[in-house]
């Protein structure tokens, strides 16, 4: 089983790992991905960001993505935390943790979850720059990355 | 039926949710979008470019030809940018 | 630049991330891999493990692997910590952290470093089981994984 | 020259390092391995299967045909199992 959280507050990676790994001796590898707010998007300097989400559906989609990952790779557990609300450059946005007996499964599953999360999780980013605020548009590159897993 | 709007769809329409009665002659998402467009310039602007509109019925992604009923919760939003 | 440590003592992932990320706002993604001692190797229950290493050369090899990764992917930094000495099931063995503006580079570089580390870093594992102690033999699978990056 | 042994090579030989003088007629790693084998059964057993012997000269991996000199530090060990 994987743990899914959609929350406004920040997270601590060591505490999240400890929460699912603690005392277990069957885990060979832990892969984590942490996404941060960058201060530049293309040539625009970002002052702030707001993450809007669809409560209820966001959790459901994250759980569905995790379920697919668990069917596809021999995972021993994991966690997905996605924040919403106002964020500043350098702030943590998302955390994915995957546990497996073997490193390759943990790497592939974490990468898969991130790719799908970019295109299938109902979150929307609004950036505040010196020239005003705007909604971030979905990247074709992300759609292609998510589609590659369907092969 | 319950309608939900997110991100720039919400901002263009000017509200995040509303309740409407589904007219009898409307059976799918496409029909609903056309019906909403007739409600005003804010809806026209929200649904101007269908390529960047995504829809979820009862929190599941569907296509524009998805059949809908009075009891459904329909959410409109742009392509997701999570992660 | 990446940070390389070969040490007997344990490490803390949150402290290691903070050490290289702190206050930076140009990082989009952080990938980490943590390797743990498993209690089973095939059908043998592992009681303890000892990691022997070649002091001096171990650091050099880790630095060379990191240098190659940095030439190959646009990394904004990272860390590799490899422990040696006696370890118990559940203990942390290795930590790889990669920082990048984009998640794909961070994932690929961390996976690359782990694959090469399995075959090119001068460390040797000795396992203590109920039927005695033995040196772990290198896996053909690991050699193949390391070779795949030469494509 | 300095010789270093690790893991099962170290255990078979029974020491982790030693100093020897390189005989004049020996020019490469292969020659050195044969020379060491003549020193006793412990060396023979350490170098029994060359497929699982790796060598580093001055902390760089080399092949068995690598040319060596009196000033080199030569390390013998099994395939690495790090990570």
């Amino acid at each position: 089983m994987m743990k899914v959280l959609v929350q406004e507050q920040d997270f601590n990676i060591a505490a999240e790992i400890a929460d699912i790994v603690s005392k277990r001796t069957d885990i060979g590898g832990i892969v984590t991905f942490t996404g941060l707010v960058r201060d530049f998007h293309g040539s625009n300097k970002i002052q702030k960001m707001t993450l809007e989400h669809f409560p209820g559906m966001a959790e459901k989609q994250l759980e569905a993505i995790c379920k697919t990952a668990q069917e596809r790779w021999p995972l021993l557990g994991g966690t997905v935390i996605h924040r919403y609300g106002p964020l500043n450059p350098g702030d943590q946005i998302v955390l994915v943790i995957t546990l497996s007996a073997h490193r390759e499964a943990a790497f592939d599953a974490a990468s898969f979850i991130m790719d799908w999360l970019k295109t299938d999780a109902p979150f929307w980013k609004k950036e505040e720059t010196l020239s005003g605020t705007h909604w971030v548009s979905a990247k074709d590159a992300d759609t292609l990355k998510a589609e590659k897993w369907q092969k | 039926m319950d309608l939900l709007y997110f991100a720039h769809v919400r901002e263009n329409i000017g509200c995040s949710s509303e309740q409407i009665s589904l007219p009898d002659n409307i059976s799918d998402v496409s029909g609903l979008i056309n019906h909403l467009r007739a409600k005003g310039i804010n809806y026209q602007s929200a649904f101007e470019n269908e390529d960047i509109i995504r829809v979820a019925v009862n929190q599941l992604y569907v296509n524009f030809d998805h059949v809908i009923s009075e009891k459904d919760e329909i959410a409109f939003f742009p392509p997701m940018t999570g992660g």
Side-chain angles (χ1 to χ4, degrees), chain A, chain B:
Chain A
M1 275 307 297
M2 288 179 70
K3 176 178 163 186
V4 167
L5 292 170
V6 176
Q7 63 185 41
E8 189 157 0
Q9 67 267 33
D10 201 7
F11 50 79
N12 176 283
I13 189 170
E16 293 302 333
I17 291 175
D19 185 45
I20 54 174
V21 172
S22 182
K23 309 242 189 277
R24 290 181 68 169
T25 52
D26 57 337
I27 297 163
I30 306 167
V31 169
T32 74
F33 178 87
T34 308
L36 307 178
V37 180
R38 276 195 293 156
D39 57 356
F40 270 93
H41 190 159
S43 57
N44 284 324
K45 180 139 179 65
I46 294 162
Q47 318 277 103
K48 278 188 74 170
M49 171 184 279
T50 304
L51 254 166
E52 183 168 331
H53 79 299
F54 185 165
M57 184 169 178
E59 288 84 348
K60 270 190 200 166
Q61 280 301 111
L62 297 187
E63 277 157 17
I65 292 166
C66 289
K67 189 163 169 284
T68 305
Q70 284 175 289
E71 284 162 5
R72 196 148 165 180
W73 289 279
L75 300 183
L76 295 168
T79 299
V80 176
I81 302 178
H82 204 306
R83 295 178 69 191
Y84 60 85
L87 295 168
N88 293 305
D91 280 355
Q92 302 187 115
I93 304 176
V94 64
L95 174 66
V96 173
I97 306 175
T98 52
L99 312 179
S100 184
H102 302 284
R103 70 187 184 284
E104 210 158 40
F107 270 116
D108 286 350
S111 180
F112 166 86
I113 290 169
M114 278 308 303
D115 283 353
W116 276 110
L117 211 144
K118 291 264 170 189
T119 57
D120 273 45
F123 290 86
W124 300 275
K125 289 178 181 143
K126 189 175 194 173
E127 291 173 349
E128 208 169 292
T129 67
L130 287 175
S131 56
T133 64
H134 65 273
W135 292 96
V136 175
S137 56
K139 275 189 245 163
D140 290 343
D142 284 330
T143 305
L144 289 173
K145 278 174 197 159
E147 281 169 359
K148 85 178 176 196
W149 297 103
Q150 297 182 311
K151 277 184 278 186
Chain B
M1 71 194 329
D2 288 315
L3 301 182
L4 302 177
Y5 309 117
F6 294 98
H8 76 65
V9 179
R10 172 179 57 74
E11 289 185 336
N12 281 338
I13 292 176
C15 77
S16 58
S17 69
E18 61 180 322
Q19 286 200 309
I20 66 160
S21 293
L22 186 66
D24 287 345
N25 61 329
I26 292 176
S27 62
D28 66 6
V29 172
S30 270
L32 176 61
I33 290 175
N34 285 330
H35 174 70
L36 290 170
R37 279 192 182 117
K39 291 181 67 172
I41 185 94
N42 51 336
Y43 289 89
Q44 282 165 39
S45 131
F47 292 110
E48 191 178 9
N49 182 358
E50 288 191 3
D51 284 349
I52 54 165
I53 295 293
R54 299 290 180 269
V55 60
V57 172
N58 304 322
Q59 304 195 353
L60 289 174
Y61 297 124
V62 297
N63 293 319
F64 284 10
D65 60 0
H66 186 85
V67 172
I68 54 177
S69 80
E70 185 67 35
K71 292 169 305 194
D72 288 333
E73 175 204 79
I74 322 251
F76 292 102
F77 42 79
M80 286 69 78
T81 55

